[in-house]
């Protein structure tokens, strides 16, 4: 544990701006406030808090929530087998593994493709609402949840990679072949939106409220 | 384009004994920890600092190994599948092309960035930044490059790809016989090297080394 300086206060309250890219602290009282600042160490754009963090994050998670519907309802993969085509959604893929008793793999796909995007959308909404309504309890848990959302987001790409590999490796002409289906685009968009949302959100706002 | 202010030295807060928590902005006293322990923020429990030894040397060595294996890992076939007297093999690059041929352009771009371009760019940047720190060759772009490498950490997804590869193998092995090709082993090695750069990398060590290199190189020019 590090020790908090004398009284509990933030860098912003004390007039220090922390660079989000390299962690450098600069004294905001001594610099003009009307020009965008470049970090003296790494040259990133420095500000007390990320600009328009809350509205941008809201926009991205609402977009993700809308795209999540076609991503799950439409088929994501098509398998041709001896002249007949079979379309499957993300959930069909999960059930396929459960039916063939590959519970571990089924669970991995379910968590990565369905639970993780859902958790990110719901989790970020809870965090944003608690800033809006100044809910002060459980801030530590919410910060931990945000760190988890940041960490786990990229794992949603799993299913897209599986489809890419299956389409390349299972390609036996008229006998059997695998293809992507429309939900792949929607699903990829969900992943990108939620990952950028985690990036535009500034967790320090939770503690300011 | 807005103008940027480059702060003169006297405005720098480096002289202050404080640092700010990146998670909650709590102002903390800077303490020097020589042990390998992680330091947590007392208010929000974000990891503030984790001492890693020989960060720059390790990153240089690991990124070199990663770059050497990159081409075979991406372009050599991963697996060969035998079914109905036919065989089929493919690489990471072929998998990217398959989405292109199916005209899923958004997914194609995302695949290209996350599995091919970003992992390469990140390794190349880490290689050149750590090499230039070692041989003390300063260039202005180092700061921008290192910032970029930090952003690309989460957008390069070879580790996720490896799990996807294992899932695909389990899916395929039920319906066909498969054999592992050289690309598979190279790719596994690339994933391990990429993960190893992340665990050896302590950004604060790099930032202060870069800052120190900049100060000393501007001094030499003035003399
Ligand atoms: Zn904190």
């Amino acid at each position: 544990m590090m020790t908090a300086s004398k009284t509990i206060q933030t860098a912003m309250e004390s007039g220090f701006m922390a660079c989000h890219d390299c962690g450098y602290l600069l004294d905001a009282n001594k610099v003009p406030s009307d020009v965008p600042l470049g970090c003296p160490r790494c040259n990133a754009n420095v500000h007390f808090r990320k600009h328009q963090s809350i509205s941008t994050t809201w926009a991205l998670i609402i977009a993700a929530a809308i795209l999540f519907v076609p991503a799950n309802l439409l088929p994501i993969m098509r398998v041709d087998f001896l002249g007949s085509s079979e379309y499957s959604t993300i959930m069909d893929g999960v059930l396929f593994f459960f039916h063939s008793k590959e519970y571990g793999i089924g669970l991995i796909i379910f968590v990565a493709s369905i639970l993780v995007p859902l958790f990110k959308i719901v989790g970020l909404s809870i965090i944003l609402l608690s800033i809006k309504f100044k809910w002060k309890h459980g801030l530590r848990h919410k910060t931990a949840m945000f760190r988890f959302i940041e960490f786990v987001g990229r794992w949603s790409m799993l299913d897209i990679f599986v489809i890419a590999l299956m389409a390349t490796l299972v390609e036996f002409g008229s006998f059997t072949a695998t293809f992507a289906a429309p939900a792949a685009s929607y699903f990829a968009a969900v992943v990108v939106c939620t990952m950028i949302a985690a990036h535009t959100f500034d967790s320090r706002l939770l503690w300011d409220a | 384009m807005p103008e940027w202010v480059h702060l003169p030295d006297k405005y720098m807060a480096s002289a202050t004994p404080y640092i700010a928590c990146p998670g909650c902005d709590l102002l903390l006293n800077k303490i020097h920890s020589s042990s390998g322990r992680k330091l947590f923020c007392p208010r929000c429990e974000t990891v503030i600092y984790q001492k890693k030894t020989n960060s720059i040397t390790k990153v240089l060595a690991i990124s070199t190994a990663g770059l050497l294996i990159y081409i075979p890992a991406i372009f050599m076939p991963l697996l060969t599948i035998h079914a109905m007297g036919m065989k089929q093999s493919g690489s990471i690059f072929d998998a990217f092309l398959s989405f292109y041929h199916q005209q899923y352009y958004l997914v194609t771009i995302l695949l290209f960035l996350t599995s091919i371009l970003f992992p390469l760019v990140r390794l190349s940047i880490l290689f050149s930044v750590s090499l230039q720190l070692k041989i003390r060759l300063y260039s202005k772009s180092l700061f921008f490059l290192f910032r970029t490498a930090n952003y690309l950490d989460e957008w390069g997804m070879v580790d996720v790809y490896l799990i996807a590869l294992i899932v695909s193998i389990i899916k395929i092995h039920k319906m066909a016989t498969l054999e592992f090709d050289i690309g598979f082993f190279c790719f596994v090695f690339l994933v391990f090297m990429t993960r190893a750069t992340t665990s050896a990398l302590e950004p604060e060590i790099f930032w202060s080394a870069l800052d120190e290199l900049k100060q000393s190189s501007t001094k030499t020019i003035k003399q």
Side-chain angles (χ1 to χ4, degrees), chain B residues 50-217:
Chain B
Q50 186 177 8
K51 174 109 179 166
K52 291 169 181 172
T53 48
N54 298 326
S55 185
I56 297 171
T57 314
K58 281 183 191 162
V59 169
L60 177 59
I62 300 163
S63 59
T64 309
L67 285 174
L68 288 174
I69 209 76
Y70 177 84
I71 291 195
I74 300 297
F75 294 96
M76 299 285 272
L78 299 159
L79 304 166
T80 304
I81 319 286
H82 299 269
M84 305 295 285
M86 292 181 278
K87 62 179 186 174
Q88 174 71 27
S89 60
S91 63
I92 301 286
F93 190 75
D94 296 329
F96 146 72
L97 283 183
S98 79
F99 265 107
Y100 177 76
H101 292 312
Q102 295 175 67
Q103 296 173 329
Y104 281 88
Y105 297 118
L106 178 76
V107 191
T108 305
I109 293 167
L110 197 60
L111 269 184
F112 176 68
L113 296 178
T114 57
S115 68
I116 297 174
L117 186 67
F118 289 162
L120 175 66
V121 170
R122 180 171 173 275
L123 281 175
S124 311
I125 290 176
L126 291 180
F127 171 76
S128 75
V129 171
S130 51
L131 180 69
Q132 283 183 253
L133 283 172
K134 276 282 162 201
I135 62 171
R136 302 195 62 76
L137 176 68
Y138 176 70
S139 58
K140 255 186 172 172
S141 58
L142 285 178
F143 292 88
F144 169 73
L145 288 175
F146 190 61
R147 274 197 288 138
T148 310
N150 287 332
Y151 280 112
L152 294 184
D153 191 15
E154 65 167 340
W155 289 93
M157 300 186 189
V158 284
D159 45 356
V160 183
Y161 215 123
L162 180 62
I163 304 298
L165 185 54
I166 294 167
V167 169
S168 309
I169 289 169
I170 294 173
K171 254 180 148 170
I172 294 167
H173 92 108
K174 298 217 151 176
M175 45 189 178
T177 50
L178 54 87
E179 61 186 82
F180 293 96
D181 292 326
I182 184 96
F184 178 82
F185 302 102
C186 296
F187 187 68
V188 172
F189 188 75
L190 176 68
V191 174
F192 277 96
M193 291 304 107
T194 303
R195 295 299 297 184
T197 50
T198 310
S199 46
L201 187 77
E202 169 48 57
E204 183 52 37
I205 293 174
F206 273 78
W207 286 124
S208 34
L210 282 169
D211 202 27
E212 192 266 322
L213 180 64
K214 179 179 158 189
Q215 306 291 347
S216 67
S217 68

Side-chain angles (χ1 to χ4, degrees), chain B residues 21 23-26 41 43-46:
Chain B
C21 168
C24 73
D25 206 35
L26 185 67
C41 168
R43 185 163 75 155
C44 74
E45 292 174 348
T46 298

Side-chain angles (χ1 to χ4, degrees), chain A residues 89-121:
Chain A
T89 62
I90 295 174
M91 201 60 211
D92 293 335
V94 173
L95 291 175
F96 167 83
F97 281 114
F98 278 116
H99 287 313
S100 51
K101 302 217 171 9
E102 299 277 4
Y103 298 111
I105 299 291
L107 202 63
I108 289 173
I109 302 272
F110 178 69
V111 170
S113 309
I114 296 178
L115 276 194
V116 166
L118 213 55
F119 181 77
K120 288 171 78 178
I121 292 167

